[in-house]
Amino acid sequence: MVDQEPLSVGCSGCLSTPELQFDFTMAFQPIVNLGNGTIFAQEALVRGPNNESAASILGQVTDESRYRFDQACRVRAIQLAAELGIQSMVSINFLPNAVYQPDLCIRTTIETATQYNFPLNKILFELTEVEKVKDYAHVRAIIEHYQKLGFKTALDDFGAGYSGLNFLADFKPDFIKLDMALIRNIDQDKGRQAIVRGIIQVCRELAIEPIAEGVETDAELNILKQMDIQLFQGYYFARPSFRSITTDLNLSAD
């Protein structure tokens, strides 16, 4: 089972749930900044202990265990990031419905970061839009509390799932990640280009930075750079690296 020692500082709601009956680890995929030629962040992605897919792990998470799993993911991501000596930000996905109280549930993250000397200002929380939000006020409270503590926040898979532009107005994350369905073959699709340009304009006015995820080709990258996007993620740059980080990247903006 997953080592649960750092979870001793979690809230009573998390501690009252069943222990996880499966183990897991992380792979890391870079988010690159072509504006200054650096690695902006490494996203922590769930994997099985022998590099099994994320789906094989997520399929074992139940409604009863999602709270403890969410906390365990944070712990494992920070542990590995510290062990690997990651200097960039680390992006961690979280489940909004797996947070009882923001001020209590974040204690595990803070305690783990302190234990492993990982700076809090280098942690980016990605709110996954795949899971339908049950309580908008609760999610707003989470994001506002995390931002007050110095964490950055992002809305993952924007353009898919259950919410849209109203989400940006209500929650004002620091970043959004444009869903790969919008990015795929965008160089050949005027409709997708128009939609992405519109989203970028809204983001600029709200001081939200867009990240294009799922970039795979030169043509996709070039049209996105013409839209003045600077942050990118996708197989074009690197696939997720199991329990390690990829540093051999082409970060040229030309």
Side-chain angles (χ1 to χ4, degrees):
M1 296 191 300
V2 177
D3 180 5
Q4 299 292 340
E5 289 183 4
L7 295 183
S8 61
V9 297
C11 67
S12 60
C14 294
L15 295 175
S16 67
T17 60
E19 290 191 6
L20 300 179
Q21 300 301 311
F22 56 89
D23 197 5
F24 68 91
T25 185
M26 296 285 175
F28 290 93
Q29 186 178 30
I31 299 172
V32 304
N33 185 331
L34 293 187
N36 58 21
T38 63
I39 295 176
F40 167 72
Q42 297 279 354
E43 182 180 1
L45 301 165
V46 172
R47 294 291 185 271
N50 297 304
N51 202 18
E52 295 92 342
S53 69
S56 70
I57 300 302
L58 296 175
Q60 300 180 67
V61 179
T62 65
D63 288 341
E64 291 73 25
S65 65
R66 70 170 61 237
Y67 307 99
R68 188 175 287 269
F69 177 70
D70 181 75
Q71 293 290 306
C73 283
R74 301 169 185 227
V75 170
R76 189 54 51 89
I78 294 170
Q79 286 176 333
L80 278 175
E83 291 172 10
L84 294 171
I86 291 177
Q87 299 299 308
S88 68
M89 297 192 74
V90 169
S91 181
I92 303 172
N93 292 279
F94 81 95
L95 305 172
N97 295 333
V99 177
Y100 286 103
Q101 294 177 271
D103 56 333
L104 296 180
C105 293
I106 197 62
R107 291 180 184 176
T108 301
T109 304
I110 295 173
E111 175 69 17
T112 304
T114 300
Q115 179 181 345
Y116 289 93
N117 297 313
F118 196 86
L120 294 182
N121 63 3
K122 288 191 174 181
I123 296 176
L124 167 65
F125 281 113
E126 290 190 26
L127 166 67
T128 174
E129 197 186 3
V130 173
E131 180 184 32
K132 187 173 182 179
V133 173
K134 298 178 180 178
D135 186 339
Y136 269 46
H138 181 57
V139 174
R140 184 183 297 111
I142 294 170
I143 291 177
E144 290 177 350
H145 187 70
Y146 284 9
Q147 290 175 333
K148 286 179 182 177
L149 291 174
F151 298 110
K152 297 297 184 182
T153 61
L155 178 59
D156 194 18
D157 298 328
F158 186 78
Y162 297 93
S163 56
L165 294 175
N166 63 309
F167 222 97
L168 300 188
D170 289 341
F171 302 131
K172 296 182 178 61
D174 299 290
F175 302 89
I176 65 164
K177 298 183 76 175
L178 297 167
D179 185 67
M180 63 178 62
L182 285 174
I183 302 304
R184 186 64 57 248
N185 299 318
I186 189 172
D187 53 296
Q188 305 170 33
D189 192 321
K190 297 296 184 182
R192 281 182 168 78
Q193 292 173 30
I195 291 170
V196 171
R197 284 194 183 96
I199 293 173
I200 292 172
Q201 179 61 35
V202 171
C203 286
R204 298 304 185 210
E205 295 189 15
L206 295 176
I208 298 170
E209 188 72 19
I211 302 171
E213 63 177 345
V215 179
E216 294 188 356
T217 68
D218 280 309
E220 291 170 351
L221 178 61
N222 288 335
I223 195 71
L224 291 165
K225 287 196 296 184
Q226 291 174 26
M227 298 179 186
D228 200 30
I229 293 178
Q230 295 188 334
L231 299 178
F232 301 89
Q233 185 178 25
Y235 288 177
Y236 180 89
F237 302 98
R239 291 175 178 269
S241 186
F242 181 64
R243 293 184 58 86
S244 62
I245 55 175
T246 299
T247 57
D248 185 18
L249 300 170
N250 177 14
L251 297 177
S252 172
D254 298 329

